[in-house]
Amino acid sequence: MRHSHNGVLPVSIRRKSNILFVLACGFLLAGCDAFSPPDAEFVVREETDQLTSDVSKAVEEELESSFGNPHQLVAWLKLPVDFGGVTGATEESTLEGPLNKFPVKFDPEADDKFVAQFQADDGGFNFGESGARLDWMTGEYAGKSMHVIGYDSESQQLTTKEKVEVPPAAGDTFVLSAGETLKSGRALYMEHCLHCHGVSGDGNGPTAQYLNPRPRDYRLGQFKFKATKPAEKVRQEDLGRVIKYGIPGTYMPSFLLLADEDLHAIVEYVRWLSMRGELEYRVDQELVLASGLTNEIIAERKSDGDEDAEIQEEVDEAVAYMPTMFDELGDQLAESWLLAEEEESLIVPAVARVEDSFESRARGRKFFLEKCTNCHGHKGRGNGSMTEDFQKDEETGELYAEPGLFDIWGNSIKPRNLTKGLYRGGRRPVDLYHRLYGGIGPSKMPNFATTDPKILWDTVNYVLHIPFEKPGEYTEVDKEYFESKKKSGGDEDKAAEQEATPTESEQTATGSTESSDQG
């Protein structure tokens, strides 16, 4: 840590290598605000607590170094987050010291941000009473801070409060007002999101226990509703849509009235929290699965006769390797989040939507019967056979204590009751196409990425029609399906066929039976 002589908050510089230096340095951001209570703190995962004390402490220290705490955030520039601030570089200077003026250049986007943030109505530039903080990223002053108090647009020279003997070299890079977006996002998150999603983004805020479904736990880096291919991360745009419009049928409200820059700040803070949690998860997996450095495993090894000195040597090696482990896993994490923003990660239907017609919906009904009824039921009421079976926990390999479906966070869920016409990921036809093509990984809804896109559009047309379906409308489709199953030796039971076939009373009714829908 380095402190300036002007009472500036410290700047944390994480030197990785000459090649990665610019991406790897981090800025420690200003602290408390009205929405960051004194006792707010990031909590660690249970897996971290299960590690031996030395290893657990090293993980927590590295998390603190890389991300800070709720009152002093670290912007680790390795991560693909819009932390905020204006980046620039110095131009060659003929001025001699001591001096406090430097010719600079911004790229077009940064120049627009600089003007928008600092230019006053009269055309001048306002940097506040104490000046705007400038953090040097490379060059002679890397890791140090100064304060910009003026800018001449004609000569493109910044004026700093501090004077130096040696001018920065041409090409030295800096960030002005670093981390403003992250700080704003933190304040907005503490105001609007903390009570459900928790300080750490673990979905365990003070009101979470009263909500069904539970608020999202960001720390696995997984989100349900996205427009990217099955294996890809969520995009900024996806999270922005969820925050802006909310999730119908849940306690996630719409923040449509927030300004666009505030919505963007919340999205970036949520992404940052998610990356923090996912990195800790990956580190824990490495330390638990690969190294076995938990208190329980160590105790077993000692009872089996392993020497304390041998075990301590492994612990010491893991502690010494911790910064490198964070760097390497951080690189992998950054790459996966960056990839999600690439165009090739988007789900783009190969064909235009098929015209909504009875013939299209009939084909969609056939696909629905073949692929979707185990969860959603033959009438789409969310009461398929899997809701009554005992499922296996993929983490432990054991059956859950209760029948039904569970998401990756261990929460009990129920497939969507499609007769209600309520679609949590959006009701646009393309939203439903995204759900079919990409699946909903966290809820274990499978993807149909290899299915003919025309069939997927047929299914979208059918699903959108389910709330308006008339009794007996698809009797011929159902009859053909069940007869083909019988001929092929399928195990469709009689109860399923009866459920799909309208009863006499239903032939004269247009309503649909309601069932709970908690997924």
Side-chain angles (χ1 to χ4, degrees):
M1 296 287 187
R2 301 184 182 183
H3 299 260
S4 79
H5 299 293
N6 299 285
V8 183
L9 282 172
V11 173
S12 172
I13 300 296
R14 294 173 57 91
R15 296 180 182 272
K16 309 298 183 185
S17 69
N18 291 332
I19 296 175
L20 294 176
F21 173 70
V22 174
L23 294 177
C25 64
F27 298 103
L28 192 60
L29 308 179
C32 296
D33 54 63
F35 306 116
S36 183
D39 60 347
E41 61 179 356
F42 292 139
V43 297
V44 297
R45 302 180 59 86
E46 291 182 9
E47 294 89 340
T48 301
D49 279 333
Q50 293 168 1
L51 297 168
T52 64
S53 58
D54 288 350
V55 177
S56 177
K57 181 181 178 182
V59 171
E60 292 188 47
E61 288 178 348
E62 199 62 27
L63 281 170
E64 177 88 14
S65 172
S66 302
F67 296 91
N69 60 63
H71 307 289
Q72 290 184 315
L73 311 176
V74 171
W76 189 12
L77 298 187
K78 177 192 293 286
L79 303 177
V81 174
D82 178 9
F83 292 106
V86 182
T87 58
T90 51
E91 297 280 78
E92 187 172 354
S93 175
T94 58
L95 302 175
E96 296 181 0
L99 76 159
N100 63 341
K101 292 181 183 292
F102 317 110
V104 299
K105 185 176 182 179
F106 304 104
D107 63 34
E109 181 179 352
D111 190 50
D112 291 341
K113 291 174 65 176
F114 176 79
V115 170
Q117 186 167 349
F118 298 110
Q119 190 169 43
D121 293 337
D122 61 5
F125 289 85
N126 181 12
F127 298 95
E129 294 183 7
S130 58
R133 180 175 135 190
L134 180 149
D135 293 291
W136 291 100
M137 298 171 65
T138 62
E140 176 74 18
Y141 302 103
K144 295 183 179 179
S145 298
M146 295 182 182
H147 292 80
V148 174
I149 57 175
Y151 177 69
D152 186 326
S153 57
E154 291 187 7
S155 63
Q156 294 186 310
Q157 287 185 345
L158 287 178
T159 300
T160 59
K161 184 185 298 185
E162 301 82 4
K163 291 188 176 183
V164 295
E165 293 292 336
V166 180
D172 287 356
T173 55
F174 59 84
V175 178
L176 192 59
S177 294
E180 289 301 317
T181 298
L182 192 64
K183 288 191 291 183
S184 174
R186 182 270 314 274
L188 290 161
Y189 180 91
M190 291 294 188
E191 179 181 6
H192 298 294
C193 316
L194 162 69
H195 57 93
C196 289
H197 294 282
V199 174
S200 306
D202 57 359
N204 198 29
T207 61
Q209 61 181 314
Y210 306 109
L211 305 181
N212 187 359
R214 293 277 299 194
R216 183 71 61 250
D217 177 354
Y218 307 136
R219 297 175 304 162
L220 290 180
Q222 297 214 40
F223 296 84
K224 286 186 176 181
F225 308 119
K226 60 191 186 76
T228 54
K229 294 174 182 176
E232 308 300 347
K233 294 287 186 187
V234 67
R235 291 167 62 90
Q236 293 165 304
E237 182 183 357
D238 297 325
L239 290 176
R241 185 180 300 111
V242 168
I243 294 171
K244 187 171 185 176
Y245 297 110
I247 303 179
T250 76
Y251 292 93
M252 174 66 192
S254 163
F255 292 96
L256 185 63
L257 298 182
L258 284 182
D260 287 346
E261 57 267 27
D262 289 341
L263 288 170
H264 174 69
I266 294 176
V267 166
E268 293 309 290
Y269 190 72
V270 167
R271 294 173 72 245
W272 180 81
L273 278 180
S274 183
M275 293 177 198
R276 179 191 179 277
E278 187 180 359
L279 183 56
E280 182 186 3
Y281 173 77
R282 292 190 182 196
V283 168
D284 286 342
Q285 293 295 297
E286 184 77 18
L287 294 170
V288 173
L289 299 180
S291 304
L293 295 176
T294 66
N295 289 313
E296 182 179 358
I297 294 175
I298 294 298
E300 291 177 357
R301 289 179 59 185
K302 288 183 177 180
S303 66
D304 290 339
D306 285 9
E307 297 292 334
D308 288 349
E310 177 186 351
I311 294 174
Q312 189 60 46
E313 183 178 354
E314 294 178 21
V315 168
D316 292 342
E317 289 178 356
V319 170
Y321 184 63
M322 199 68 66
T324 302
M325 182 186 298
F326 264 74
D327 285 341
E328 293 177 348
L329 292 178
D331 285 335
Q332 297 173 19
L333 184 71
E335 183 178 354
S336 65
W337 283 86
L338 275 171
L339 183 60
E341 300 298 327
E342 297 294 330
E343 188 173 344
E344 57 264 29
S345 294
L346 274 172
I347 297 173
V348 179
V351 299
R353 181 185 178 186
V354 174
E355 181 182 357
D356 184 15
S357 63
F358 176 81
E359 291 74 21
S360 170
R361 297 194 297 270
R363 293 191 297 268
R365 168 65 177 170
K366 182 173 184 289
F367 181 83
F368 184 88
L369 287 170
E370 292 172 349
K371 303 294 184 181
C372 309
T373 53
N374 282 346
C375 291
H376 291 283
H378 287 80
K379 291 189 177 181
R381 292 173 179 167
N383 59 350
S385 60
M386 292 190 70
T387 63
E388 300 177 357
D389 294 338
F390 284 86
Q391 309 298 325
K392 183 178 291 188
D393 184 339
E394 295 177 2
E395 288 281 331
T396 65
E398 303 291 329
L399 294 178
Y400 284 103
E402 302 291 334
L405 300 169
F406 293 80
D407 62 23
I408 61 170
W409 297 281
N411 301 318
S412 175
I413 58 174
K414 189 171 179 61
R416 186 69 57 249
N417 180 351
L418 298 171
T419 66
K420 294 182 177 181
L422 195 65
Y423 313 107
R424 292 181 176 171
R427 66 168 295 103
R428 299 176 304 171
V430 72
D431 293 327
L432 272 65
Y433 187 96
H434 290 157
R435 302 293 86 76
L436 288 167
Y437 184 102
I440 307 178
S443 69
K444 301 176 185 176
M445 174 177 161
N447 71 76
F448 300 103
T450 59
T451 300
D452 183 342
K454 293 181 181 180
I455 295 297
L456 295 185
W457 279 126
D458 289 333
T459 309
V460 168
N461 290 337
Y462 171 70
V463 169
L464 286 171
H465 183 69
I466 287 178
F468 313 101
E469 184 177 330
K470 298 176 182 178
E473 187 172 356
Y474 297 101
T475 298
E476 291 303 317
V477 177
D478 294 351
K479 181 179 179 182
E480 180 182 343
Y481 169 74
F482 285 109
E483 286 182 353
S484 66
K485 290 291 289 186
K486 291 174 184 176
K487 290 179 180 178
S488 62
D491 58 358
E492 290 282 348
D493 58 31
K494 191 67 177 176
E497 184 175 356
Q498 289 174 343
E499 193 224 344
T501 304
T503 63
E504 183 176 345
S505 61
E506 285 180 313
Q507 293 283 2
T508 58
T510 56
S512 62
T513 303
E514 293 293 326
S515 65
S516 62
D517 184 28
Q518 303 171 357

